Amino acid sequence: MTHSPSVTPTADSVSPRAREDKESIPLWRRDLVDCLSYLGQRIETALDALLPPVEEHPNAAGPYGVCPARLARAARYSTLGGGKLLRPKLTLLAAEAVGGDDAIENALAAACAVELVHAYSLVHDDLPAMDDDDLRRGRPTTHVEFDEATAILAGDGLLTLAFGAVVAGVRPAERAAACVGILAEAAGFRGMVGGQMADLQAESIPREQGSVELLEAIHLRKTGALLRASLTMGAAASGANAELTTALDEYGRALGLAFQIQDDLLDATGDPAKTGKKVGKDLELGKWTYPAFLGVEESRRRARSLVDQAVTALRPLGDRSARLVGLARTLLERDR
Amino acid sequence: MTHSPSVTPTADSVSPRAREDKESIPLWRRDLVDCLSYLGQRIETALDALLPPVEEHPNAAGPYGVCPARLARAARYSTLGGGKLLRPKLTLLAAEAVGGDDAIENALAAACAVELVHAYSLVHDDLPAMDDDDLRRGRPTTHVEFDEATAILAGDGLLTLAFGAVVAGVRPAERAAACVGILAEAAGFRGMVGGQMADLQAESIPREQGSVELLEAIHLRKTGALLRASLTMGAAASGANAELTTALDEYGRALGLAFQIQDDLLDATGDPAKTGKKVGKDLELGKWTYPAFLGVEESRRRARSLVDQAVTALRPLGDRSARLVGLARTLLERDR
């Protein structure tokens, strides 16, 4: 399971010292699965510390007061619900590719910010006035588990927290400000929010009048922008130069589109026990998807070609991009 | 109308040179009305430039694409709708009190950010799942004029833009990062968003079980936090020391509560032609308000006392706080 030179003990038998040794293994000496699992743990711990606690003593409150318990529960439910944490892992891998192992600590807040924005966008997109989804990751969506008002406010709070996390965690201030700028552009009117709007508008256009080009223009904003920002924020947190930043941005662009095609393919052909969604739901709803426009085989071919493009884009990073290359390759094998 | 030594020409007769002269009059040489009107114009021009244009050529788009026209229209409708611009004016006055006239330019983006957050909060608070209001500033609310999905997304975009504006406009990066941190704390789970949640929860508690202390704890988050942040962001943009920042924060805290009491008084006794709202709507809905708990006269007394507190807090700023003192005094006279 691991390329680490030390014997990997089971969780039960790990002494504090051994655990410390295990945690201090640099990323480049871990295999991809171990590396991603380690990063996932770091991100979950950091997210847990950032989110408001459910019960807070007034003395521990911020300058204005405490977060109401129900709102804190909804925020935690929406964020810590067992997501894949793909985006924040990309942030940390990009930071490490540019700045080495030491760069991960400094990029952790930027990684959390990306996941908080992703979580908020799911909560708001699932609302009755938007995509009206009841189920997410196999659990009731936030507005079903709580209520609409709580879901709207939880989303608003998560988005706000994302920016606060960046300036509280990324050093020096120039890099924090750069990350805030990248995130605001990617999540804003010309990025994710604009893409969701375009997606909702496309619903009233019959599929026969759509095209794969229009579909791609939506995805580049709705999901692609944040995925690209995940990488360029990691680069910015590590002080990357323009060449490496562009390389990571191009990798993110191709990976984002490949990821979206794979999402559409999973909807059309995946195992509902793994995806947590009904098969063919998109097709049934007349949604614009890659398989609907191109067929399953051509969609698969396009996803493979995009993964190749993503890998090629990483050339300026040389050996340091090995984990990002590995991640892109495994994308085509994912089943949820 | 003005203390400026030059004769003030009418708008029609202003030559470009005279206009430039008029614009270059320092704030401290203008009377309060002229000063606030000048700041209001600066803020509106800056907001207009920050918001996405309704029609955008793809070549002028951001890295991910353009903002859909309908969403840009909704964002502009929600922000440029003739608000009082109290909060951003406070930001600029605080920046000027600390750093002089030259500090206004650098704080302009922070001022816009505060107004964008205020505008987004109104759009989301007015939604059917929240306060369910149809009318705002005498016009249909955003979800009535457009639709719910557009209103949710416009709010999300405005909040996101606020943080992007700060890092794009405030220099150096240390001050921009400080402003982002203040805004995120004030607008977030323990600030404005938490206050709106607490306010919604209070609706299900009969007024007899409420108290003015609980009401105040809600207001300190729901409206007070952003008002205080308006001032401390202005201070941060000008590099204020801890003493002046605390003075401005205390001024903001007292002013915010006084402002809220005045709001409640206007609802109970104001002129609907000026407030744009039905008289006694809050009372009818069984809402927690200062007049409901304290009566009209005691509420007025408390507002006066808070304005005195606000003015006293400004002492460390000396003469430089004259315009902030003037603004606090006029608060008690406002009728809309």
Side-chain angles (χ1 to χ4, degrees):
Chain A
M1 184 202 141
T2 170
H3 288 164
S4 130
S6 63
V7 177
T8 309
T10 62
D12 291 340
S13 68
V14 178
S15 72
R17 177 61 196 271
R19 194 180 301 125
E20 196 179 298
D21 283 353
K22 177 146 169 47
E23 284 184 1
S24 66
I25 301 167
L27 234 46
W28 63 268
R29 290 183 63 180
R30 297 166 184 263
D31 72 7
L32 190 63
V33 173
D34 184 32
C35 166
L36 293 178
S37 135
Y38 165 74
L39 294 179
Q41 285 162 25
R42 292 291 306 266
I43 294 158
E44 281 197 20
T45 308
L47 281 172
D48 183 65
L50 277 171
L51 287 162
V54 172
E55 292 294 342
E56 189 162 42
H57 192 275
N59 290 349
Y64 314 110
V66 297
C67 175
R70 182 177 172 82
L71 185 60
R73 266 199 299 275
R76 294 179 161 272
Y77 180 85
S78 309
T79 313
L80 304 172
K84 290 180 284 284
L85 303 176
L86 170 69
R87 290 159 195 79
K89 286 174 187 169
L90 286 172
T91 305
L92 297 184
L93 287 178
E96 189 248 1
V98 171
D101 242 57
D102 293 344
I104 291 175
E105 193 65 37
N106 194 45
L108 199 52
C112 289
V114 167
E115 187 63 16
L116 290 167
V117 169
H118 178 58
Y120 119 77
S121 76
L122 298 181
V123 174
H124 281 193
D125 286 1
D126 287 340
L127 286 168
M130 306 262 264
D131 298 346
D132 196 13
D133 273 318
D134 291 348
L135 222 58
R136 164 77 62 187
R137 296 167 184 166
R139 300 188 312 170
T141 47
T142 304
H143 68 274
V144 171
E145 181 73 15
F146 295 84
D147 56 71
E148 267 187 71
T150 305
I152 294 169
L153 289 170
D156 292 344
L158 293 172
L159 174 57
T160 308
L161 182 59
F163 292 102
V166 170
V167 295
V170 176
R171 295 284 174 274
E174 284 79 9
R175 294 187 189 175
C179 286
V180 167
I182 294 166
L183 186 58
E185 180 80 39
F189 288 118
R190 295 188 181 94
M192 191 179 72
V193 165
Q196 171 66 5
M197 183 79 196
D199 198 19
L200 289 171
Q201 290 180 317
E203 273 175 25
S204 60
I205 305 173
R207 187 155 55 212
E208 301 74 49
Q209 290 171 34
S211 70
V212 86
E213 286 73 27
L214 285 173
L215 176 67
E216 202 155 284
I218 292 171
H219 286 319
L220 281 174
R221 285 170 288 174
K222 185 176 171 173
T223 54
L226 189 63
L227 206 129
R228 282 164 73 181
S230 308
L231 290 146
T232 50
M233 283 173 74
S238 291
N241 64 21
E243 188 197 10
L244 298 190
T245 304
T246 304
L248 288 162
D249 188 44
E250 281 175 15
Y251 167 84
R253 188 182 190 282
L255 193 75
L257 287 174
F259 193 79
Q260 190 57 52
I261 298 177
Q262 192 71 2
D263 242 23
D264 287 356
L265 282 166
L266 283 173
D267 179 84
T269 65
D271 175 356
K274 284 176 180 161
T275 61
K277 294 195 294 190
K278 214 169 80 180
V279 177
K281 191 188 166 205
D282 293 346
L283 200 68
E284 208 173 274
L285 292 170
K287 280 206 175 183
W288 296 15
T289 68
Y290 284 90
F293 283 121
L294 301 174
V296 166
E297 271 321 302
E298 174 59 18
S299 299
R300 285 213 173 106
R301 199 203 57 75
R302 192 180 276 233
R304 276 194 304 273
S305 156
L306 281 163
V307 166
D308 288 341
Q309 279 177 42
V311 168
T312 306
L314 291 175
R315 261 185 210 153
L317 284 146
D319 287 349
R320 294 176 291 173
S321 68
R323 283 156 299 283
L324 287 167
V325 169
L327 185 68
R329 297 276 180 226
T330 60
L331 181 76
L332 297 175
E333 292 146 29
R334 77 183 175 102
D335 56 7
R336 69 175 189 109
Chain B
M1 185 203 143
T2 169
H3 288 164
S4 131
S6 62
V7 177
T8 310
T10 62
D12 290 340
S13 68
V14 179
S15 71
R17 176 62 195 272
R19 195 179 300 122
E20 197 179 295
D21 283 352
K22 178 148 169 46
E23 283 185 1
S24 65
I25 301 167
L27 234 47
W28 61 270
R29 289 183 64 182
R30 297 167 185 261
D31 72 8
L32 189 64
V33 173
D34 185 33
C35 166
L36 294 177
S37 138
Y38 165 74
L39 294 179
Q41 285 162 24
R42 293 290 307 267
I43 294 158
E44 281 196 19
T45 308
L47 281 172
D48 183 64
L50 277 171
L51 288 162
V54 171
E55 292 296 342
E56 191 162 42
H57 193 276
N59 291 349
Y64 313 110
V66 296
C67 174
R70 182 178 173 81
L71 185 59
R73 265 198 299 275
R76 293 179 162 271
Y77 180 85
S78 310
T79 312
L80 304 172
K84 290 181 284 288
L85 303 177
L86 170 69
R87 290 158 194 78
K89 286 174 186 170
L90 287 172
T91 305
L92 296 184
L93 288 177
E96 189 249 2
V98 171
D101 243 57
D102 293 344
I104 292 176
E105 193 65 39
N106 194 44
L108 200 51
C112 289
V114 167
E115 187 63 17
L116 290 167
V117 169
H118 178 57
Y120 119 76
S121 76
L122 298 182
V123 174
H124 281 191
D125 286 2
D126 286 338
L127 286 167
M130 305 263 262
D131 298 344
D132 195 13
D133 273 317
D134 291 347
L135 221 59
R136 164 79 60 188
R137 295 168 184 166
R139 299 188 312 170
T141 46
T142 305
H143 68 273
V144 171
E145 182 72 15
F146 296 84
D147 55 70
E148 267 188 71
T150 306
I152 294 168
L153 290 170
D156 292 345
L158 293 172
L159 174 57
T160 308
L161 181 59
F163 292 103
V166 170
V167 296
V170 177
R171 294 285 174 274
E174 284 80 7
R175 294 187 189 175
C179 285
V180 167
I182 294 167
L183 186 59
E185 181 79 38
F189 287 119
R190 295 189 182 93
M192 191 178 74
V193 164
Q196 171 66 3
M197 183 78 194
D199 197 21
L200 289 170
Q201 291 179 316
E203 272 174 25
S204 60
I205 305 171
R207 187 154 56 211
E208 302 73 49
Q209 289 170 37
S211 69
V212 84
E213 287 72 28
L214 286 173
L215 175 67
E216 202 154 285
I218 292 171
H219 286 319
L220 281 173
R221 284 170 289 174
K222 184 177 174 177
T223 56
L226 188 62
L227 207 130
R228 283 164 71 181
S230 307
L231 290 146
T232 50
M233 284 172 73
S238 291
N241 64 22
E243 190 198 9
L244 298 190
T245 304
T246 304
L248 288 162
D249 188 44
E250 282 177 14
Y251 168 84
R253 187 181 192 281
L255 193 76
L257 287 175
F259 193 80
Q260 190 57 50
I261 298 178
Q262 193 70 3
D263 242 23
D264 288 356
L265 282 166
L266 283 173
D267 179 83
T269 65
D271 175 357
K274 286 176 178 160
T275 61
K277 293 196 295 191
K278 212 169 82 181
V279 177
K281 190 188 167 205
D282 292 349
L283 200 69
E284 209 174 273
L285 292 170
K287 278 207 174 182
W288 296 15
T289 68
Y290 284 90
F293 284 122
L294 301 174
V296 167
E297 272 320 302
E298 175 59 17
S299 298
R300 286 213 172 106
R301 199 203 58 73
R302 191 180 276 233
R304 277 195 302 274
S305 154
L306 282 163
V307 166
D308 288 340
Q309 279 177 44
V311 169
T312 306
L314 290 176
R315 261 185 210 152
L317 284 145
D319 287 350
R320 293 176 292 175
S321 67
R323 283 156 301 282
L324 288 166
V325 169
L327 184 68
R329 296 279 180 221
T330 60
L331 181 76
L332 297 175
E333 292 147 29
R334 77 184 175 101
D335 56 8
R336 69 177 189 107

